[in-house]
Protein backbone atom coordinates (compact mmCIF):
# COMPACT_ATOMS: atom_id res chain seq x y z
CA UNK A 1 0.00 0.00 0.00
CA UNK A 2 1.06 3.59 -0.47
CA UNK A 3 2.94 5.59 2.12
CA UNK A 4 0.11 7.86 3.10
CA UNK A 5 -1.95 5.45 5.11
CA UNK A 6 -3.41 7.45 7.95
CA UNK A 7 -5.88 6.01 10.44
CA UNK A 8 -7.41 7.47 13.52
CA UNK A 9 -8.95 6.43 16.79
CA UNK A 10 -11.62 8.99 17.61
CA UNK A 11 -13.12 8.32 21.05
CA UNK A 12 -15.54 10.62 22.83
CA UNK A 13 -14.41 11.40 26.38
CA UNK A 14 -17.72 10.36 27.95
CA UNK A 15 -16.32 7.94 30.53
CA UNK A 16 -13.80 5.11 30.74
CA UNK A 17 -12.84 3.38 27.51
CA UNK A 18 -14.57 0.00 27.22
CA UNK A 19 -12.49 -2.93 25.90
CA UNK A 20 -14.40 -2.61 22.60
CA UNK A 21 -12.89 0.85 22.22
CA UNK A 22 -9.44 -0.44 23.05
CA UNK A 23 -9.85 -3.11 20.38
CA UNK A 24 -10.80 -0.44 17.81
CA UNK A 25 -7.66 1.49 18.76
CA UNK A 26 -5.60 -1.71 18.54
CA UNK A 27 -6.85 -2.64 15.06
CA UNK A 28 -6.13 0.90 13.87
CA UNK A 29 -2.66 0.70 15.37
CA UNK A 30 -1.97 -2.72 13.81
CA UNK A 31 -3.25 -1.61 10.42
CA UNK A 32 -1.02 1.49 10.53
CA UNK A 33 2.03 -0.51 11.58
CA UNK A 34 1.45 -3.20 9.01
CA UNK A 35 1.17 -0.67 6.20
CA UNK A 36 3.81 1.81 7.29
CA UNK A 37 1.11 4.34 8.09
CA UNK A 38 0.36 6.81 10.86
CA UNK A 39 -1.95 6.22 13.80
CA UNK A 40 -3.73 9.37 14.96
CA UNK A 41 -5.74 10.04 18.13
CA UNK A 42 -8.55 12.57 17.92
CA UNK A 43 -10.72 13.46 20.89
CA UNK A 44 -14.35 13.96 19.84
CA UNK A 45 -15.76 16.16 22.56
CA UNK A 46 -18.37 18.23 20.74
CA UNK A 47 -21.16 16.85 22.91
CA UNK A 48 -20.44 19.00 25.93
CA UNK A 49 -23.35 17.53 27.88
CA UNK A 50 -21.69 14.12 27.92
CA UNK A 51 -18.15 15.30 28.63
CA UNK A 52 -16.58 13.58 31.63
CA UNK A 53 -13.49 15.11 33.24
CA UNK A 54 -10.54 12.74 33.32
CA UNK A 55 -11.80 10.60 30.42
CA UNK A 56 -9.22 11.92 27.93
CA UNK A 57 -6.39 11.21 30.35
CA UNK A 58 -7.84 7.73 30.91
CA UNK A 59 -7.85 7.07 27.16
CA UNK A 60 -4.23 8.19 26.81
CA UNK A 61 -3.08 6.15 29.79
CA UNK A 62 -4.92 3.06 28.54
CA UNK A 63 -3.29 3.25 25.11
CA UNK A 64 0.08 3.78 26.72
CA UNK A 65 -0.38 0.76 29.00
CA UNK A 66 -1.26 -1.36 25.98
CA UNK A 67 1.81 -0.14 24.12
CA UNK A 68 -0.26 1.29 21.27
CA UNK A 69 0.42 4.97 21.56
CA UNK A 70 -0.68 7.13 18.63
CA UNK A 71 1.94 9.00 16.66
CA UNK A 72 -0.18 12.13 16.50
CA UNK A 73 -2.72 13.35 18.99
CA UNK A 74 -3.38 15.89 21.72
CA UNK A 75 -0.35 14.57 23.59
CA UNK A 76 1.87 14.75 20.52
CA UNK A 77 0.65 17.35 18.04
CA UNK A 78 1.54 16.82 14.41
CA UNK A 79 0.77 19.02 11.43
CA UNK A 80 -2.99 18.32 11.38
CA UNK A 81 -3.94 19.70 14.80
CA UNK A 82 -5.62 20.64 16.97
CA UNK A 83 -6.54 17.05 17.82
CA UNK A 84 -9.35 17.91 20.23
CA UNK A 85 -12.58 18.85 18.48
CA UNK A 86 -13.62 21.54 20.95
CA UNK A 87 -10.46 23.41 19.85
CA UNK A 88 -11.49 23.31 16.18
CA UNK A 89 -14.67 25.41 16.33
CA UNK A 90 -13.61 27.93 13.67
CA UNK A 91 -12.77 25.15 11.26
CA UNK A 92 -16.29 23.73 11.55
CA UNK A 93 -17.89 27.19 11.28
CA UNK A 94 -16.05 27.82 8.07
CA UNK A 95 -17.02 24.47 6.61
CA UNK A 96 -20.67 24.61 7.54
CA UNK A 97 -20.93 27.99 5.79
CA UNK A 98 -19.41 26.37 2.76
CA UNK A 99 -21.99 23.59 2.82
CA UNK A 100 -24.84 26.09 3.16
CA UNK A 101 -23.49 28.04 0.21
CA UNK A 102 -23.27 24.83 -1.80
CA UNK A 103 -26.97 24.33 -1.06
CA UNK A 104 -26.50 21.12 0.93
CA UNK A 105 -27.34 22.47 4.34
CA UNK A 106 -29.94 24.88 5.71
CA UNK A 107 -30.94 26.75 8.85
CA UNK A 108 -33.77 25.26 10.86
CA UNK A 109 -35.51 27.54 13.37
CA UNK A 110 -37.90 24.98 14.80
CA UNK A 111 -37.60 24.90 18.59
CA UNK A 112 -37.31 21.57 20.43
CA UNK A 113 -40.94 22.15 21.53
CA UNK A 114 -42.08 22.65 17.91
CA UNK A 115 -40.42 19.40 16.94
CA UNK A 116 -41.91 17.51 19.84
CA UNK A 117 -45.37 18.86 18.99
CA UNK A 118 -44.98 17.82 15.38
CA UNK A 119 -43.86 14.34 16.36
CA UNK A 120 -46.80 14.00 18.72
CA UNK A 121 -49.30 15.12 16.06
CA UNK A 122 -47.88 12.67 13.56
CA UNK A 123 -47.99 9.90 16.14
CA UNK A 124 -51.67 10.57 16.72
CA UNK A 125 -52.18 10.20 12.99
CA UNK A 126 -50.53 6.80 13.22
CA UNK A 127 -47.18 7.90 11.90
CA UNK A 128 -44.75 6.62 14.53
CA UNK A 129 -41.58 7.28 12.59
CA UNK A 130 -41.89 10.87 11.59
CA UNK A 131 -38.60 12.38 10.55
CA UNK A 132 -37.29 15.71 9.31
CA UNK A 133 -36.48 14.88 5.69
CA UNK A 134 -37.06 15.75 2.05
CA UNK A 135 -40.76 14.89 2.35
CA UNK A 136 -41.44 16.90 5.50
CA UNK A 137 -38.99 19.79 5.55
CA UNK A 138 -41.35 21.97 3.53
CA UNK A 139 -43.84 21.89 6.44
CA UNK A 140 -41.22 23.13 8.88
CA UNK A 141 -39.71 26.47 9.89
CA UNK A 142 -36.43 26.69 8.06
CA UNK A 143 -34.46 28.70 5.53
CA UNK A 144 -35.95 26.63 2.72
CA UNK A 145 -39.52 27.57 3.62
CA UNK A 146 -38.98 31.24 4.50
CA UNK A 147 -37.43 34.00 2.45
CA UNK A 148 -33.75 34.92 2.46
CA UNK A 149 -34.59 38.24 4.06
CA UNK A 150 -36.55 36.62 6.85
CA UNK A 151 -33.75 34.12 7.44
CA UNK A 152 -31.21 36.92 7.67
CA UNK A 153 -33.36 38.86 10.04
CA UNK A 154 -33.81 35.83 12.34
CA UNK A 155 -30.06 35.33 12.32
CA UNK A 156 -29.48 39.02 13.08
CA UNK A 157 -31.81 38.75 16.07
CA UNK A 158 -29.79 35.80 17.38
CA UNK A 159 -32.76 33.47 17.11
CA UNK A 160 -31.59 29.99 18.12
CA UNK A 161 -31.20 27.67 15.17
CA UNK A 162 -29.69 24.39 14.10
CA UNK A 163 -28.17 23.61 10.73
CA UNK A 164 -29.41 20.51 8.95
CA UNK A 165 -28.09 18.59 6.02
CA UNK A 166 -30.31 18.69 2.95
CA UNK A 167 -30.47 15.09 1.83
CA UNK A 168 -31.32 14.71 -1.86
CA UNK A 169 -34.07 12.12 -2.22
CA UNK A 170 -34.25 9.28 -4.74
CA UNK A 171 -30.57 8.56 -4.82
CA UNK A 172 -28.51 5.52 -4.03
CA UNK A 173 -25.42 5.65 -1.86
CA UNK A 174 -23.08 2.79 -2.62
CA UNK A 175 -19.93 2.17 -0.65
CA UNK A 176 -17.58 -0.68 -0.16
CA UNK A 177 -16.89 -1.67 3.41
CA UNK A 178 -13.55 -3.47 3.66
CA UNK A 179 -15.06 -6.03 6.03
CA UNK A 180 -18.67 -6.20 4.91
CA UNK A 181 -18.45 -5.64 1.18
CA UNK A 182 -20.81 -3.53 -0.90
CA UNK A 183 -23.44 -1.56 1.00
CA UNK A 184 -26.28 0.27 -0.76
CA UNK A 185 -28.61 2.75 0.89
CA UNK A 186 -31.55 4.60 -0.63
CA UNK A 187 -31.41 8.25 0.43
CA UNK A 188 -35.18 8.39 1.02
CA UNK A 189 -34.67 6.55 4.32
CA UNK A 190 -32.23 9.14 5.61
CA UNK A 191 -33.28 12.15 7.65
CA UNK A 192 -31.93 15.69 7.46
CA UNK A 193 -29.60 15.22 10.42
CA UNK A 194 -28.57 18.19 12.49
CA UNK A 195 -24.99 19.10 11.61
CA UNK A 196 -24.72 22.14 13.84
CA UNK A 197 -26.44 22.45 17.17
CA UNK A 198 -27.94 25.56 18.69
CA UNK A 199 -24.92 25.79 21.03
CA UNK A 200 -22.77 26.64 18.02
CA UNK A 201 -20.98 23.32 18.06
CA UNK A 202 -21.05 20.72 15.30
CA UNK A 203 -22.56 17.30 15.84
CA UNK A 204 -20.49 14.16 15.64
CA UNK A 205 -21.40 13.51 11.98
CA UNK A 206 -20.21 16.86 10.75
CA UNK A 207 -17.07 17.25 12.85
CA UNK A 208 -16.11 13.67 12.09
CA UNK A 209 -16.09 13.98 8.32
CA UNK A 210 -14.53 17.45 8.27
CA UNK A 211 -11.72 16.20 10.48
CA UNK A 212 -11.20 12.93 8.66
CA UNK A 213 -10.87 14.93 5.46
CA UNK A 214 -8.58 17.64 6.85
CA UNK A 215 -6.46 15.15 8.75
CA UNK A 216 -6.10 13.19 5.51
CA UNK A 217 -7.41 9.99 7.00
CA UNK A 218 -7.18 7.21 4.44
CA UNK A 219 -9.06 4.47 6.31
CA UNK A 220 -11.81 4.77 8.90
CA UNK A 221 -11.73 1.65 11.08
CA UNK A 222 -14.45 1.81 13.72
CA UNK A 223 -17.17 -0.12 15.51
CA UNK A 224 -20.17 -1.63 13.76
CA UNK A 225 -22.50 0.77 15.55
CA UNK A 226 -21.38 3.48 13.13
CA UNK A 227 -22.29 1.55 9.99
CA UNK A 228 -25.79 3.09 9.71
CA UNK A 229 -24.25 6.59 9.82
CA UNK A 230 -21.84 5.87 7.00
CA UNK A 231 -24.36 6.63 4.25
CA UNK A 232 -24.74 10.15 5.63
CA UNK A 233 -20.98 10.48 5.90
CA UNK A 234 -20.58 9.37 2.29
CA UNK A 235 -23.13 11.97 1.21
CA UNK A 236 -21.35 14.72 3.12
CA UNK A 237 -18.10 13.87 1.33
CA UNK A 238 -20.00 13.94 -1.94
CA UNK A 239 -21.66 17.30 -1.17
CA UNK A 240 -18.27 18.85 -0.34
CA UNK A 241 -16.77 17.30 -3.46
CA UNK A 242 -14.21 15.43 -1.38
CA UNK A 243 -12.93 11.92 -1.82
CA UNK A 244 -14.19 9.72 1.03
CA UNK A 245 -11.77 7.56 3.00
CA UNK A 246 -12.15 3.78 2.90
CA UNK A 247 -14.33 2.28 5.63
CA UNK A 248 -14.08 -0.85 7.74
CA UNK A 249 -16.67 -1.58 10.43
CA UNK A 250 -15.55 -3.95 13.17
CA UNK A 251 -17.83 -6.60 14.65
CA UNK A 252 -19.37 -6.12 18.09
CA UNK A 253 -17.90 -7.74 21.16
CA UNK A 254 -20.59 -10.01 22.56
CA UNK A 255 -21.40 -11.33 26.03
CA UNK A 256 -19.85 -14.73 26.87
CA UNK A 257 -23.17 -16.45 26.00
CA UNK A 258 -23.25 -14.63 22.66
CA UNK A 259 -26.54 -12.90 23.48
CA UNK A 260 -26.04 -9.18 22.98
CA UNK A 261 -23.31 -6.64 23.39
CA UNK A 262 -20.81 -7.04 26.22
CA UNK A 263 -21.62 -4.50 28.91
CA UNK A 264 -20.19 -3.26 32.17
CA UNK A 265 -22.90 -5.16 33.99
CA UNK A 266 -21.77 -8.50 32.49
CA UNK A 267 -18.33 -7.86 33.90
CA UNK A 268 -19.74 -7.09 37.37
CA UNK A 269 -21.98 -10.16 37.29
CA UNK A 270 -19.38 -12.61 36.08
CA UNK A 271 -16.35 -11.13 37.81
CA UNK A 272 -14.16 -9.94 34.98
CA UNK A 273 -13.15 -6.41 34.02
CA UNK A 274 -14.48 -4.77 30.86
CA UNK A 275 -12.16 -1.79 31.15
CA UNK A 276 -8.40 -1.63 30.65
CA UNK A 277 -7.68 0.37 33.81
CA UNK A 278 -9.52 1.06 37.04
CA UNK A 279 -11.94 3.96 36.84
CA UNK A 280 -13.88 5.60 39.64
CA UNK A 281 -16.92 7.56 38.54
CA UNK A 282 -18.26 10.73 40.12
CA UNK A 283 -20.42 8.68 42.50
CA UNK A 284 -17.34 6.90 43.78
CA UNK A 285 -18.30 3.65 42.03
CA UNK A 286 -15.27 1.60 40.95
CA UNK A 287 -15.06 0.06 37.49
CA UNK A 288 -12.30 -2.55 37.75
CA UNK A 289 -9.53 -2.63 35.16
CA UNK A 290 -7.35 -5.34 33.65
CA UNK A 291 -4.16 -3.60 34.75
CA UNK A 292 -5.16 -3.45 38.41
CA UNK A 293 -6.46 -7.02 38.25
CA UNK A 294 -2.91 -8.10 37.54
CA UNK A 295 -3.06 -8.72 33.78
CA UNK A 296 0.05 -8.16 31.72
CA UNK A 297 -0.58 -5.67 28.92
CA UNK A 298 0.89 -8.11 26.36
CA UNK A 299 -1.67 -10.75 27.34
CA UNK A 300 -4.54 -8.26 27.28
CA UNK A 301 -3.56 -6.99 23.84
CA UNK A 302 -3.07 -10.49 22.42
CA UNK A 303 -6.51 -11.51 23.71
CA UNK A 304 -8.15 -8.39 22.25
CA UNK A 305 -6.51 -8.92 18.85
CA UNK A 306 -8.20 -12.31 18.63
CA UNK A 307 -11.65 -10.90 19.44
CA UNK A 308 -12.86 -10.65 15.88
CA UNK A 309 -9.68 -11.49 13.97
CA UNK A 310 -7.29 -14.41 13.60
CA UNK A 311 -4.07 -14.87 11.66
CA UNK A 312 -5.36 -17.96 9.83
CA UNK A 313 -2.80 -20.21 11.51
CA UNK A 314 -2.82 -22.24 14.71
CA UNK A 315 -0.56 -19.72 16.39
CA UNK A 316 -2.22 -17.85 19.23
CA UNK A 317 0.58 -16.25 21.20
CA UNK A 318 1.65 -13.26 19.18
CA UNK A 319 3.56 -10.24 20.41
CA UNK A 320 2.39 -6.79 19.35
CA UNK A 321 5.09 -6.73 16.71
CA UNK A 322 4.08 -10.12 15.37
CA UNK A 323 0.42 -9.07 15.39
CA UNK A 324 1.32 -6.01 13.34
CA UNK A 325 3.18 -8.23 10.87
CA UNK A 326 0.23 -10.55 10.37
CA UNK A 327 -2.75 -8.22 10.72
CA UNK A 328 -5.09 -7.65 7.81
CA UNK A 329 -8.63 -6.29 7.61
CA UNK A 330 -9.57 -9.15 5.26
CA UNK A 331 -9.27 -11.53 8.19
CA UNK A 332 -11.57 -9.54 10.46
CA UNK A 333 -14.87 -11.39 10.96
CA UNK A 334 -18.23 -9.96 10.02
CA UNK A 335 -20.10 -11.55 12.89
CA UNK A 336 -19.87 -10.56 16.56
CA UNK A 337 -16.96 -11.81 18.65
CA UNK A 338 -17.92 -13.61 21.82
CA UNK A 339 -15.90 -12.54 24.85
CA UNK A 340 -14.40 -15.50 26.69
CA UNK A 341 -13.20 -14.79 30.26
CA UNK A 342 -11.45 -18.19 30.53
CA UNK A 343 -9.54 -17.66 27.32
CA UNK A 344 -8.54 -14.25 28.62
CA UNK A 345 -7.02 -15.89 31.70
CA UNK A 346 -5.34 -18.45 29.47
CA UNK A 347 -3.62 -15.68 27.52
CA UNK A 348 -2.53 -14.13 30.80
CA UNK A 349 -1.06 -17.39 31.96
CA UNK A 350 0.87 -17.94 28.75
CA UNK A 351 2.54 -14.57 29.12
CA UNK A 352 2.93 -14.79 32.86
CA UNK A 353 4.92 -18.02 32.77
CA UNK A 354 7.24 -16.57 30.15
CA UNK A 355 8.28 -13.79 32.51
CA UNK A 356 11.70 -14.00 34.13
CA UNK A 357 11.73 -14.92 37.81
CA UNK A 358 13.51 -11.65 38.48
CA UNK A 359 10.79 -9.51 36.92
CA UNK A 360 8.04 -11.41 38.74
CA UNK A 361 9.90 -10.86 41.99
CA UNK A 362 10.23 -7.19 41.23
CA UNK A 363 6.49 -6.85 40.74
CA UNK A 364 5.65 -8.46 44.10
CA UNK A 365 8.53 -7.21 46.19
CA UNK A 366 6.32 -5.20 48.53
CA UNK A 367 4.03 -8.18 49.22
CA UNK A 368 6.79 -10.45 50.50
CA UNK A 369 6.55 -11.09 54.25
CA UNK A 370 9.59 -11.01 56.55
CA UNK A 371 12.12 -13.65 55.59
CA UNK A 372 15.76 -14.71 55.58
CA UNK A 373 16.01 -15.72 51.94
CA UNK A 374 18.52 -14.47 49.44
CA UNK A 375 17.31 -12.69 46.30
CA UNK A 376 18.22 -15.78 44.35
CA UNK A 377 16.05 -17.96 46.58
CA UNK A 378 13.13 -15.57 46.29
CA UNK A 379 13.49 -15.71 42.53
CA UNK A 380 13.51 -19.50 42.69
CA UNK A 381 10.28 -19.36 44.70
CA UNK A 382 8.73 -17.21 41.93
CA UNK A 383 9.97 -19.74 39.40
CA UNK A 384 8.34 -22.62 41.29
CA UNK A 385 4.92 -20.97 41.15
CA UNK A 386 4.76 -19.16 37.86
CA UNK A 387 3.29 -22.14 36.03
CA UNK A 388 0.77 -22.71 38.80
CA UNK A 389 -0.84 -19.30 39.12
CA UNK A 390 -2.03 -16.76 36.57
CA UNK A 391 -1.10 -13.54 38.30
CA UNK A 392 1.94 -12.19 40.12
CA UNK A 393 -0.31 -11.21 43.03
CA UNK A 394 -1.18 -14.90 43.61
CA UNK A 395 2.44 -15.97 44.14
CA UNK A 396 2.81 -14.95 47.79
CA UNK A 397 -0.48 -16.56 48.91
CA UNK A 398 0.41 -19.76 47.03
CA UNK A 399 3.92 -19.76 48.48
CA UNK A 400 2.83 -18.90 52.01
CA UNK A 401 4.56 -21.93 53.56
CA UNK A 402 7.92 -20.46 52.58
CA UNK A 403 7.27 -17.63 54.99
CA UNK A 404 5.50 -19.47 57.78
CA UNK A 405 5.54 -23.11 58.90
CA UNK A 406 2.22 -24.89 58.27
CA UNK A 407 -0.39 -24.11 60.90
CA UNK A 408 -2.54 -27.05 59.88
CA UNK A 409 -2.36 -30.04 57.55
CA UNK A 410 -4.65 -30.73 54.64
CA UNK A 411 -7.34 -33.04 56.05
CA UNK A 412 -7.91 -35.09 52.95
CA UNK A 413 -4.23 -35.83 52.47
CA UNK A 414 -3.82 -36.70 56.14
CA UNK A 415 -6.70 -39.16 55.98
CA UNK A 416 -5.51 -40.76 52.79
CA UNK A 417 -1.76 -40.75 53.21
CA UNK A 418 -0.80 -40.61 56.87
CA UNK A 419 -0.32 -44.22 57.90
CA UNK A 420 0.77 -45.92 61.10
CA UNK A 421 4.38 -46.08 59.98
CA UNK A 422 4.54 -42.53 58.61
CA UNK A 423 6.02 -41.01 61.75
CA UNK A 424 8.78 -43.64 61.98
CA UNK A 425 9.63 -43.29 58.31
CA UNK A 426 9.76 -39.52 58.51
CA UNK A 427 12.00 -39.62 61.56
CA UNK A 428 14.43 -41.91 59.77
CA UNK A 429 14.31 -39.77 56.63
CA UNK A 430 14.99 -36.76 58.78
CA UNK A 431 18.15 -38.40 60.16
CA UNK A 432 19.26 -39.09 56.63
CA UNK A 433 18.64 -35.48 55.60
CA UNK A 434 20.53 -34.27 58.66
CA UNK A 435 23.67 -36.02 57.49
CA UNK A 436 23.62 -34.29 54.09
CA UNK A 437 26.34 -31.69 53.52
CA UNK A 438 24.85 -30.48 50.31
CA UNK A 439 21.19 -29.59 50.78
CA UNK A 440 20.51 -29.09 47.08
CA UNK A 441 17.31 -30.37 45.44
CA UNK A 442 19.31 -33.03 43.55
CA UNK A 443 21.02 -34.33 46.68
CA UNK A 444 17.76 -34.39 48.59
CA UNK A 445 16.06 -36.27 45.80
CA UNK A 446 18.95 -38.70 45.61
CA UNK A 447 18.88 -39.30 49.35
CA UNK A 448 15.12 -39.71 49.29
CA UNK A 449 15.18 -42.30 46.51
CA UNK A 450 17.99 -44.18 48.26
CA UNK A 451 15.96 -44.25 51.44
CA UNK A 452 12.77 -45.42 49.72
CA UNK A 453 14.48 -48.32 47.96
CA UNK A 454 16.40 -49.26 51.10
CA UNK A 455 13.07 -49.48 52.92
CA UNK A 456 11.42 -51.20 49.98
CA UNK A 457 8.45 -48.87 50.10
CA UNK A 458 6.75 -47.05 47.25
CA UNK A 459 7.31 -43.33 46.66
CA UNK A 460 3.65 -42.82 47.45
CA UNK A 461 4.16 -44.00 51.02
CA UNK A 462 6.54 -41.19 51.84
CA UNK A 463 6.42 -38.34 49.32
CA UNK A 464 2.93 -37.05 50.26
CA UNK A 465 3.65 -37.11 53.97
CA UNK A 466 6.93 -35.31 53.44
CA UNK A 467 5.05 -32.66 51.47
CA UNK A 468 2.39 -32.49 54.14
CA UNK A 469 5.05 -31.95 56.83
CA UNK A 470 6.85 -29.22 54.93
CA UNK A 471 3.94 -27.37 53.38
CA UNK A 472 0.74 -28.58 55.05
CA UNK A 473 -0.66 -29.21 51.57
CA UNK A 474 -1.45 -32.19 49.38
CA UNK A 475 0.07 -30.88 46.18
CA UNK A 476 2.45 -28.23 44.92
CA UNK A 477 5.76 -27.70 43.14
CA UNK A 478 8.57 -30.24 43.28
CA UNK A 479 9.08 -31.02 46.96
CA UNK A 480 12.89 -31.27 46.89
CA UNK A 481 13.12 -27.80 45.39
CA UNK A 482 10.91 -26.58 48.20
CA UNK A 483 12.98 -28.40 50.84
CA UNK A 484 16.23 -27.05 49.46
CA UNK A 485 15.01 -23.45 49.62
CA UNK A 486 13.58 -23.94 53.13
CA UNK A 487 17.00 -25.16 54.29
CA UNK A 488 18.08 -28.01 56.51
CA UNK A 489 17.22 -26.55 59.88
CA UNK A 490 13.69 -25.59 58.86
CA UNK A 491 13.05 -28.92 57.11
CA UNK A 492 14.09 -30.95 60.12
CA UNK A 493 12.03 -28.77 62.41
CA UNK A 494 8.91 -29.04 60.23
CA UNK A 495 9.24 -32.84 60.04
CA UNK A 496 9.55 -32.98 63.82
CA UNK A 497 6.48 -30.79 64.27
CA UNK A 498 4.41 -32.87 61.85
CA UNK A 499 5.43 -36.09 63.57
CA UNK A 500 4.51 -34.61 66.94
CA UNK A 501 1.12 -33.31 65.72
CA UNK A 502 0.04 -36.14 63.45
CA UNK A 503 2.10 -39.10 64.66
N1 LIG B 1 -16.55 9.60 18.56
C1 LIG B 1 -17.04 8.38 18.01
C2 LIG B 1 -17.05 7.34 19.13
O1 LIG B 1 -17.06 7.70 20.25
C3 LIG B 1 -16.13 7.94 16.88
C4 LIG B 1 -16.77 7.13 15.82
C5 LIG B 1 -15.84 7.07 14.63
O2 LIG B 1 -14.77 6.47 14.76
O3 LIG B 1 -16.17 7.63 13.61
O4 LIG B 1 -17.08 6.17 18.95
Amino acid sequence: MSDNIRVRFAPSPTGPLHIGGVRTALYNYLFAKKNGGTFVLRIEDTDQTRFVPGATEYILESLKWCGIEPEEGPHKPGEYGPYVQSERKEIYQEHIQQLIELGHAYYAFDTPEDLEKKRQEEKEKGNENWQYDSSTRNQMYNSLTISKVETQSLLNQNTPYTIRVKIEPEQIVNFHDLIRGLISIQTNVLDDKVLFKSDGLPTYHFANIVDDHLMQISHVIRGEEWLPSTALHQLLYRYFGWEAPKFAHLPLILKPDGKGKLSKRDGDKMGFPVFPLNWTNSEGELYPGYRENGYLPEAFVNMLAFLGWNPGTEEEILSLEKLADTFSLERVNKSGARFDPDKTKWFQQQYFKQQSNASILQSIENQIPKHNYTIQQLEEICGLFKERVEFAKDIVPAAKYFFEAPQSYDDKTVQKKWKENSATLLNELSTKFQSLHDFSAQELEHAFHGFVSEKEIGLGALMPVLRLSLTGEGSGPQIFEIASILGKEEVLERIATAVAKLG
Side-chain angles (χ1 to χ4, degrees), residues 8 10-12 44 204 208 222 226:
R8 86 307 191 266
S12 299
E44 302 207 327
Y204 154 73
N208 188 266
R222 62 184 176 192
W226 299 106

Side-chain angles (χ1 to χ4, degrees), residues 119-133:
R119 263 194 205 99
Q120 212 43 50
E121 281 168 16
E122 292 294 325
K123 208 169 164 183
E124 277 154 29
K125 285 191 226 154
N127 180 9
E128 295 278 343
N129 301 318
W130 181 85
Q131 63 178 22
Y132 210 122
D133 61 19

Side-chain angles (χ1 to χ4, degrees), residues 362-411:
Q362 218 175 22
S363 63
I364 56 169
E365 231 153 22
N366 55 0
Q367 288 175 41
I368 306 226
K370 247 181 92 182
H371 65 88
N372 291 317
Y373 296 114
T374 62
I375 297 284
Q376 199 198 330
Q377 286 176 316
L378 290 174
E379 286 178 5
E380 281 169 24
I381 295 175
C382 291
L384 287 182
F385 288 93
K386 70 181 177 188
E387 300 237 5
R388 302 184 156 261
V389 299
E390 285 142 350
F391 302 101
K393 64 177 188 296
D394 296 335
I395 296 249
V396 170
K400 62 179 188 304
Y401 46 78
F402 277 101
F403 305 101
E404 190 184 22
Q407 303 296 300
S408 61
Y409 300 95
D410 180 60
D411 269 349

Side-chain angles (χ1 to χ4, degrees), residues 8-12 24 42 44 204 208 212 220-223 225-226 233:
R8 86 307 191 266
F9 176 50
S12 299
T24 300
R42 183 174 70 230
E44 302 207 327
Y204 154 73
N208 188 266
D212 282 345
V220 170
I221 304 169
R222 62 184 176 192
E225 64 274 28
W226 299 106
H233 299 175

